[in-house]
């Protein structure tokens, strides 16, 4: 099965438990990490529209609107189930100035230099063509502008415990909710993903002038900040 179809099917199946499982499997810490990402991005943000790639149920959207309520945010995802949940949450919380767009990151329907910032959380490793996506992201960011994202990474310590958790414990818990295979995908997707060092090199190769990384929770996740100048 092509990766795009696999990812679409996987996240459609877990859409109803997605928010709950994110909180459960990180003990709620993913919200702190996402908040840190947004704070880092806004150090370089220059007051323009913001694009959230792989927006899902909208964690980053709500963080942005909380601290910057006047910001215009575009939430991009390919998954109808996730986007429906996002739309309901926006309406429930009366959040305005959020446009929902259904599109793949590899071929986005935006003009050159449209956004002052692009953000994403736990989406990049799911993209079918990461290099092409990075080129598209670079294209739609203004000068100066910033691309910031959060992604899983292998920690420097407790590696065996980390992989036991990803390979055995999470699929077992997901199985209790009827999503065992979907949570087995988590470990597989990380094993197939590029290292942080390779990600930095790739970002620079598509044109970003400076790239910073910050490891969180002993390296379980990594924040990437790429500057277009």
């Amino acid at each position: 099965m092509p990766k795009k179809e696999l990812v679409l099917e996987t996240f459609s199946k877990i859409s109803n438990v997605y928010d709950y499982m994110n909180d459960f499997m990180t003990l709620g810490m993913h919200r702190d990490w996402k908040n840190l990402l947004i704070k880092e991005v806004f150090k370089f943000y220059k007051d323009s529209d913001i694009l959230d790639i792989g927006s899902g149920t909208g964690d980053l959207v709500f963080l942005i609107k909380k601290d910057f309520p006047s910001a215009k945010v575009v939430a991009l995802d390919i998954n109808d189930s996730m986007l429906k949940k996002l739309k309901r949450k926006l309406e429930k919380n009366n959040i305005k100035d959020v446009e929902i767009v259904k599109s793949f990151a590899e071929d986005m329907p935006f003009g050159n230099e449209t956004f002052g910032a692009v953000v994403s959380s736990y989406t990049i490793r799911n993209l079918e063509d990461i290099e092409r996506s990075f080129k598209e992201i670079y294209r739609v960011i203004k000068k100066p502008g910033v691309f910031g994202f959060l992604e899983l990474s292998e920690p420097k310590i407790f590696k065996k415990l980390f992989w036991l958790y990803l390979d055995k414990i999470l699929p077992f818990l997901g199985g209790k909710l009827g999503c065992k295979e979907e949570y087995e995908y988590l470990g597989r997707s990380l094993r197939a993903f590029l290292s942080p060092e390779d990600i930095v090199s790739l970002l620079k190769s598509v044109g970003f002038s400076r790239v910073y990384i910050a490891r969180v929770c002993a390296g379980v996740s990594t924040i990437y900040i790429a500057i277009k100048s």
Side-chain angles (χ1 to χ4, degrees), residues 5 126 167 188 193-194 209:
E5 294 179 16
N126 297 318
D167 292 339
R188 294 200 308 270
F193 192 45
L194 298 170
S209 55

Side-chain angles (χ1 to χ4, degrees), residues 17-217:
V17 300
Y18 182 75
D19 290 335
Y20 166 77
M21 282 295 287
N22 280 351
D23 283 335
F24 180 81
M25 66 188 185
T26 69
L27 302 178
M29 290 187 293
H30 74 101
R31 298 184 184 277
D32 295 329
W33 305 338
K34 290 170 181 174
N35 191 50
L36 181 58
L37 166 66
I38 296 303
K39 289 183 182 301
E40 290 299 311
V41 165
F42 274 80
K43 290 179 181 178
F44 302 95
Y45 173 67
K46 301 296 182 182
D47 189 24
S48 185
D49 292 358
I50 303 166
L51 173 64
D52 178 16
I53 291 178
S55 192
T57 58
D59 281 357
L60 295 187
V61 171
F62 285 92
L63 285 173
I64 292 167
K65 296 299 287 184
K66 177 184 176 182
D67 291 337
F68 304 90
S70 63
K72 165 69 181 300
V73 182
V74 176
L76 181 142
D77 207 300
I78 197 60
N79 192 293
D80 284 321
S81 299
M82 292 289 192
L83 291 177
K84 286 177 182 177
K85 288 196 70 174
L86 171 58
K87 185 176 181 181
R88 288 196 297 268
K89 287 169 68 175
L90 291 171
E91 291 172 349
K92 179 180 178 180
N93 291 278
N94 196 32
I95 302 295
K96 307 296 185 182
D97 287 328
V98 176
E99 179 184 358
I100 294 176
V101 174
K102 182 180 178 181
S103 173
F104 289 107
E106 291 90 343
D107 187 19
M108 296 187 287
F110 309 118
N112 295 344
E113 300 193 5
T114 300
F115 302 97
V118 175
V119 297
S120 187
S121 65
Y122 301 112
T123 294
I124 301 302
R125 66 182 153 67
N126 297 318
L127 300 176
E128 187 167 62
D129 190 330
I130 295 174
E131 182 176 7
R132 181 175 173 183
S133 298
F134 281 175
K135 288 178 179 178
E136 269 290 271
I137 291 165
Y138 183 84
R139 180 184 67 80
V140 302
I141 293 177
K142 293 181 177 181
K143 291 182 180 180
V146 57
F147 171 36
F149 65 95
L150 178 66
E151 193 49 91
L152 284 174
S153 50
E154 184 182 64
K156 297 295 185 181
I157 58 175
F158 305 123
K159 289 184 181 181
K160 289 184 178 180
L161 183 60
F162 173 76
W163 286 111
L164 174 66
Y165 185 64
L166 242 59
D167 292 339
K168 301 296 183 182
I169 297 174
L170 275 183
F172 172 77
L173 296 173
K176 298 297 183 181
L177 299 171
C179 302
K180 182 176 185 293
E181 291 183 4
E182 286 68 38
Y183 280 93
E184 286 176 338
Y185 166 78
L186 192 62
R188 294 200 308 270
S189 67
L190 180 54
R191 280 194 168 86
F193 192 45
L194 298 170
S195 70
E197 293 75 18
D198 288 338
I199 289 292
V200 169
S201 295
L202 188 56
L203 286 165
K204 289 182 177 179
S205 75
V206 304
F208 289 101
S209 55
R210 290 175 289 156
V211 182
Y212 308 90
I213 67 171
R215 300 181 189 274
V216 296
C217 196

